[in-house]
């Protein structure tokens, strides 16, 4: 529809502005998904954080069920990406009507690259890295629990979290017993 509209109107600025439509739709969808507590970026984040391992996936699931810190980081990751894409869209639309057309043609690509790089750096450092450490700690805790069960088969009577606390391993929020 945007292409037809710009072809009929013949306005190069409208054509430049409509290019940001994909980013705006994606950004809005990602931000709305955060509000529903089902972040869209999880599909790409989970394999990255878990390194595709079965133990990592299991640790992710345990952390999702038991760690508010982990869930908050997951939502923040999507919020950063949604905000970056929506901001890119707004800046491109403003640029389409205020910057010379010949400049905006190449500047639009630069804005997209900057938005993606900024989202990667900010979301990666503030969300993905801490989540990866929490998953790694949870995988390590599970290995310790399995080792404790092998040595003392009766240790897992009831709540599996009790075994983790008994052996002083990592908790679901990534803190060790010594940090409590």
């Amino acid at each position: 529809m945007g292409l037809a509209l710009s072809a009929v109107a013949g306005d190069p600025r409208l054509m430049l502005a409509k290019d940001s439509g994909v980013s705006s739709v994606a950004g809005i969808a990602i931000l709305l998904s955060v509000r529903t507590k089902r972040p869209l970026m999880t599909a790409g984040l989970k394999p990255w954080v878990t390194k595709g391992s079965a133990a990592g996936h299991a640790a992710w699931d345990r952390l999702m069920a038991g760690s508010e810190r982990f869930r908050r980081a997951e939502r923040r990751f999507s919020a950063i990406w949604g905000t970056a894409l929506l901001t890119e869209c707004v800046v491109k639309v403003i640029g389409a009507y205020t910057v010379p057309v010949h400049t905006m043609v190449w500047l639009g690509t630069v804005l997209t690259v900057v938005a993606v790089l900024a989202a990667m750096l900010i979301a990666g450092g503030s969300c993905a890295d801490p989540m990866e450490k929490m998953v790694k700690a949870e995988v390590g805790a599970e290995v310790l629990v399995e080792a404790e069960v092998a040595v003392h088969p009766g240790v897992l009577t009831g709540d599996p979290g009790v075994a983790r606390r008994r052996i002083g391993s990592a908790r679901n929020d990534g803190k060790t017993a010594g940090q409590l």
Side-chain angles (χ1 to χ4, degrees):
M1 183 172 121
L3 184 59
L5 182 63
S6 61
V8 171
D11 184 4
R13 293 185 181 280
L14 178 61
M15 200 164 172
L16 287 169
K18 72 129 183 89
D19 286 344
S20 63
V22 173
S23 295
S24 67
V25 169
I28 290 168
I30 291 168
L31 289 172
L32 288 174
S33 75
V34 172
R35 300 261 315 156
T36 63
K37 298 191 185 214
R38 307 251 329 148
L40 285 175
M41 296 299 288
T42 299
L45 180 62
K46 186 175 182 179
W48 183 269
V49 168
T50 63
K51 306 294 188 230
S53 74
H57 282 277
W60 175 287
D61 293 339
R62 285 190 303 276
L63 287 164
M64 285 299 293
S67 173
E68 178 57 32
R69 180 175 166 228
F70 189 81
R71 290 189 302 270
R72 193 172 35 251
E74 179 200 24
R75 289 190 306 269
R76 190 176 339 111
F77 184 86
S78 286
I80 290 168
W81 272 96
T83 301
L85 293 174
L86 199 54
T87 301
E88 178 229 0
C89 166
V90 169
V91 171
K92 276 184 166 181
V93 169
I94 291 170
Y97 289 99
T98 58
V99 175
V101 172
H102 66 278
T103 302
M104 197 58 205
V105 168
W106 64 264
L107 187 58
T109 303
V110 171
L111 290 171
T112 300
V113 169
V114 167
V116 169
L117 287 175
M120 286 172 59
L121 289 173
I122 295 167
S126 69
C127 304
D129 288 345
M131 290 175 76
E132 191 173 337
K133 289 175 184 169
M134 285 186 265
V135 166
K136 196 177 288 186
E138 183 67 20
V139 167
E142 192 59 28
V143 168
L144 289 174
V145 167
E146 289 172 5
E148 181 70 13
V149 168
V151 173
H152 300 91
V155 77
L156 275 185
T157 55
D159 179 17
V162 171
R164 285 188 187 95
R165 286 188 292 278
R166 282 187 187 154
I167 60 176
S169 62
R171 295 183 344 161
N172 279 343
D173 64 3
K175 294 181 182 173
T176 63
Q179 295 173 316
L180 298 176

